[in-house]
Amino acid sequence: MVEPVLLWRRLVGAQIRSQLQYRTSLALDFVGAGLISFVDFLAVLVIFHNVPRLNTWSVHEVAFLYALSAIAFALTDMVMGHLDLFPQLVRTGNFDIVLVRPRGTLLQIFGSDFAVRRFAKAVQGGAVLVYAVSGLEVHWTIPRVLFLLLSIPTGMVIFGSIWVVGSCLAFWTTDGGEFTNAFTYGGNFMAQYPIDVYSAWLRRFLAYIVPLAFVCYFPALFILGKPDPLGLPRVVEVLSPVVAVIAATVSGLAWRFAVRHYRSAGG
Amino acid sequence: MRLDWEIAKRGWRRYAAYPWATAAGVFTNTVFGFLQAYILLAIYRHRTNVGGFDAGDAVTYVWLAQSMIMTVYIFNWQELALRVRDGSIATDLARPLDPQRYWLAFDLGRAPYHLIFRGILPFVLGAVVFELHYPSPLDAVAFLVSLALAVVVSFGIRFLYNSAAFWLLDFRGVMTLTITIVLFFSGMAIPLRFFPHWLRELAYALPFASIIQTPVDVWLGKRTGLELLGIVALQAFWALALLACGHVVLRRGTRKLVIQGG
């Protein structure tokens, strides 16, 4: 159990060191990444310039959702890599190299694309979180604080599982790299808005099939003590850890299936 | 002329060669179309009109923007910069063909491919689920003109940030910053009409609005008569101004050429 983590640290450490070699470039990249993610939040602010509430949600509540989504996304992006180089690996036939090595394929891929600049989005998310909480009257209890902290890793696991399943598509399409964008950026975008703005079929999809609603929406209801506009039983709000475990299992199985039936392009 | 046509055909083929990439793009654009449509519709639960757009306008805007996103190539375009980086720009410059003219022709060949193969399907899917607004015949023609100009304006901007590669070893920062600004001020992230008044006026004065907001305004019939001519003329102005800038920058850049490889 520990060994993969140590290996990941080695792989990632090397990349961090190499990125730190170009200090100015990294600093600029970092600021740039922060700015790009801030534009997303500017869109939220522009929306609330026009309405006081989005359905039942105030600007601070949506900012809270946004922050959770952004932090979970950024950390997943850092820990797992963006998985957008993976389709290229398959296309050029270089995935065989990954298969031949005596370590898990997913672990190798996770450790191969670490970018320090992605942390900028987490920092930006943190700033938005401070803004959100400052505008809300949250009744902080121990369970709520703990759940807030827990929401980040569970959000990461859910995001990560979705991305892995999305990446499996790369095995069967030759240039389908862009499919993953729908899952990564699309997932982030979906999660940062309250799902009750979406129509019924999309809401159910986001709650039960691709469980993005469990990254921010349901945890936020619990932490903020907000009654669920959808009227679901209260227990659903704290189900995210369970959902995360299920998602991880499903994605692991999907990956294993995909790798087992993989036929290389050669090379 | 014949030369430009041949280059344009290559531009088309370059992107037509990857059908799965196109399919994946259609999927992504459709997903985002649905998300943005619902979010904007939630705003219209509280109001009937925002900046001149009603709910139908806003939803049409979302689907048009998603259909156009690849035609006007909002995201990373690095062809020129990569050639500067690996030194092959030297061969390009030795040829009796202006690189800007080459890439413009290439882009104008690419744009129709993306319009047809990435633009139509998301819009049709959106039209099936939502009630969209359609243009009058005159507005439809004006839209096509406006869209063509939007492609040129976008090309002008892309060419400029690629030219940064002549001076900067790592031009990606300039590219990222520019794309961020384009995303916001073109109206891609959220329609310019939703902006606070002062920001909206600023945004309309900038070239980026010509890339998404203006063509969509034309489609929705928000500009009529003299105003319509004016807004399209403004696009044409920006297109020419950006190309002219690009030309000057290219000349300065080739003089200052630093070849990184090869």
Side-chain angles (χ1 to χ4, degrees):
Chain A
M1 189 59 213
V2 176
E3 226 223 278
V5 177
L6 289 177
L7 177 60
W8 178 84
R9 272 182 54 182
R10 271 270 191 86
L11 293 171
V12 161
Q15 291 172 74
I16 295 180
R17 276 193 302 277
S18 79
Q19 283 167 41
L20 286 176
Q21 300 276 7
Y22 298 95
R23 292 282 163 87
T24 328
S25 209
L26 180 61
L28 285 175
D29 269 352
F30 199 86
V31 170
L35 275 178
I36 291 195
S37 61
F38 186 62
V39 166
D40 264 345
F41 186 62
L42 278 182
V44 174
L45 291 178
V46 168
I47 288 177
F48 279 97
H49 168 78
N50 291 291
V51 281
R53 292 200 159 243
L54 206 60
N55 279 9
T56 59
W57 297 74
S58 71
V59 61
H60 293 100
E61 288 170 338
V62 174
F64 186 82
L65 291 177
Y66 174 91
L68 280 186
S69 182
I71 296 172
F73 179 93
L75 295 179
T76 314
D77 209 9
M78 276 180 59
V79 168
M80 282 178 45
H82 199 70
L83 295 183
D84 61 355
L85 296 179
F86 172 68
Q88 232 184 341
L89 210 57
V90 172
R91 186 164 56 91
T92 54
N94 286 327
F95 188 65
D96 299 24
I97 301 176
V98 175
L99 284 171
V100 158
R101 292 187 189 129
R103 288 291 178 271
T105 48
L106 264 186
L107 174 66
Q108 291 181 58
I109 292 172
F110 286 3
S112 65
D113 179 25
F114 190 91
V116 176
R117 71 168 183 276
R118 292 177 185 143
F119 191 66
K121 190 175 166 83
V123 170
Q124 190 254 337
V128 173
L129 184 61
V130 168
Y131 163 79
V133 169
S134 70
L136 293 167
E137 286 175 24
V138 187
H139 181 58
W140 292 109
T141 61
I142 305 276
R144 285 195 177 147
V145 172
L146 287 177
F147 202 72
L148 175 59
L149 294 170
L150 182 62
S151 294
I152 304 296
T154 50
M156 286 169 68
V157 170
I158 296 175
F159 267 148
S161 310
I162 295 169
W163 295 10
V164 167
V165 171
S167 295
C168 290
L169 285 173
F171 283 114
W172 293 294
T173 64
T174 41
D175 285 289
E178 231 197 281
F179 273 116
T180 54
N181 279 353
F183 292 90
T184 55
Y185 295 117
N188 180 36
F189 191 71
M190 271 183 230
Q192 72 194 36
Y193 287 96
I195 63 168
D196 58 317
V197 307
Y198 304 127
S199 66
W201 63 270
L202 187 54
R203 267 206 315 268
R204 285 185 205 124
F205 185 75
L206 290 177
Y208 309 126
I209 315 287
V210 179
L212 286 161
F214 287 93
V215 174
C216 328
Y217 179 80
F218 288 118
L221 290 178
F222 176 72
I223 297 167
L224 300 179
K226 189 178 160 70
D228 184 1
L230 297 175
L232 290 169
R234 302 293 318 269
V235 71
V236 175
E237 294 168 16
V238 294
L239 279 182
S240 50
V242 173
V243 172
V245 169
I246 298 175
T249 315
V250 168
S251 68
L253 290 172
W255 179 263
R256 214 166 284 174
F257 175 84
V259 170
R260 199 156 289 169
H261 291 81
Y262 168 64
R263 249 195 241 131
S264 167
Chain B
M1 235 356 249
R2 172 68 201 272
L3 180 62
D4 299 303
W5 175 254
E6 288 298 320
I7 298 172
K9 282 205 293 195
R10 273 165 184 68
W12 173 287
R13 273 186 224 146
R14 156 95 172 69
Y15 290 90
Y18 301 99
W20 271 118
T22 304
V26 168
F27 177 71
T28 306
N29 292 141
T30 308
V31 166
F32 270 97
F34 277 108
L35 295 177
Q36 286 186 306
Y38 286 125
I39 290 166
L40 290 189
L41 280 176
I43 298 178
Y44 284 93
R45 260 177 247 209
H46 298 267
R47 302 176 57 154
T48 46
N49 188 304
V50 180
F53 272 9
D54 64 23
D57 290 330
V59 175
T60 310
Y61 184 100
V62 164
W63 286 104
L64 276 176
Q66 286 299 324
S67 303
M68 284 166 59
I69 193 173
M70 203 50 195
T71 308
V72 300
Y73 215 110
I74 298 265
F75 288 107
N76 313 10
W77 184 79
Q78 311 176 50
E79 309 272 345
L80 176 66
L82 289 175
R83 292 186 75 83
V84 172
R85 261 238 309 245
D86 68 20
S88 42
I89 189 77
T91 6
D92 292 348
L93 292 168
R95 297 193 182 117
L97 173 63
D98 176 47
Q100 191 185 45
R101 179 178 167 198
Y102 175 84
W103 288 113
L104 178 60
F106 198 83
D107 208 53
L108 290 176
R110 169 202 68 75
Y113 174 78
H114 279 139
L115 177 63
I116 297 171
F117 291 94
R118 270 186 75 157
I120 295 186
L121 199 51
F123 190 77
V124 167
L125 288 171
V128 165
V129 178
F130 298 92
E131 273 206 33
L132 301 183
H133 289 173
Y134 300 95
S136 67
L138 174 62
D139 284 336
V141 171
F143 171 75
L144 288 174
V145 173
S146 186
L147 182 60
L149 287 172
V151 172
V152 181
V153 170
S154 164
F155 170 80
I157 292 171
R158 282 180 274 136
F159 190 84
L160 279 172
Y161 72 65
N162 269 252
S163 307
F166 283 112
W167 286 274
L168 300 173
L169 285 181
D170 190 7
F171 77 102
R172 274 178 329 138
V174 175
M175 177 170 74
T176 306
L177 185 60
T178 312
I179 291 175
T180 309
I181 295 174
V182 169
L183 271 175
F184 191 68
F185 281 108
S186 67
M188 191 71 224
I190 202 136
L192 298 186
R193 288 169 179 268
F194 282 58
F195 285 12
H197 188 78
W198 57 274
L199 195 57
R200 196 189 321 164
E201 296 305 305
L202 170 65
Y204 268 116
L206 294 172
F208 315 107
S210 300
I211 299 177
I212 299 279
Q213 181 74 42
T214 301
V216 180
D217 272 350
V218 171
W219 172 286
L220 292 171
K222 297 298 175 188
R223 308 284 188 178
T224 48
L226 225 50
E227 246 195 25
L228 177 58
L229 280 176
I231 200 91
V232 174
L234 181 60
Q235 275 186 297
F237 163 75
W238 280 121
L240 289 171
L242 287 164
L243 286 178
C245 272
H247 183 72
V248 169
V249 167
L250 180 64
R251 279 236 257 149
R252 292 265 175 84
T254 53
R255 247 181 270 158
K256 201 193 191 305
L257 198 57
V258 175
I259 299 178
Q260 288 181 245

